[in-house]
Amino acid sequence: MNLLKSTEKSKMEKKQEGFSQLAITLLNHYDGAYYVDINTGEYTALVPLKGLKKLNAPYTGDDFYTDSVKILSKCVHSNDLENIKKASDKNTILEALSEGDVYANIFRIIINENVIHMKRSLFLCPDRAHAICCFENIEEDFIKKETQKKNL
């Protein structure tokens, strides 16, 4: 009987290790990731925004929606600012996530006088009460696509 419990425990530990490795691998792909309670707005950084350290983005907070706009307003390109403000509205996000499990926006930020294309994706968790918000630097992809367009 104890051998059975030990074997089950070992399988559970391996499964948990696999999930941990999966999470770490995925999160390392992004430039920032947050775990968000989509109803209350409470959030915690899983991976702090790498390129935006100078902006003093908080690791945790009570209002993801308002804090997102505050932080992004400091660095989003002026031509994209109104769109990202609208896209960061709580009702807009909740409605989008009720229609699909992913909500994404592309915008430009300015860091050290360089324009960088970013993608923010919110992935709805299976409990449908939380989301993982990931920020990805897509500048290299953007440049490749622009180069391909020129060469066609």
Side-chain angles (χ1 to χ4, degrees), residues 66-106:
T66 301
D67 290 352
S68 292
V69 171
K70 282 182 193 174
I71 296 300
L72 292 174
S73 293
K74 296 177 184 178
C75 62
V76 169
H77 190 285
S78 59
N79 292 346
D80 297 341
L81 188 55
E82 284 307 311
N83 285 338
I84 201 65
K85 283 181 178 179
K86 290 176 187 174
S88 299
D89 175 72
K90 180 178 181 176
N91 291 329
T92 301
I93 291 173
L94 291 176
E95 184 177 325
L97 290 175
S98 73
E99 294 171 5
D101 292 344
V102 180
Y103 177 56
N105 317 103
I106 295 175

Side-chain angles (χ1 to χ4, degrees), residues 27 32-46 64-65 90 93-94 96-98 100-104 120-135:
L27 292 176
Y34 292 83
Y35 182 67
V36 181
D37 182 314
I38 61 173
N39 297 306
T40 67
E42 292 178 12
Y43 64 94
T44 302
L46 301 172
F64 171 78
Y65 307 101
K90 180 178 181 176
I93 291 173
L94 291 176
L97 290 175
S98 73
D101 292 344
V102 180
Y103 177 56
R120 177 183 68 179
S121 302
L122 283 102
F123 301 96
L124 189 61
C125 294
D127 68 5
R128 306 198 68 76
H130 296 89
I132 307 295
C133 176
C134 299
F135 291 88

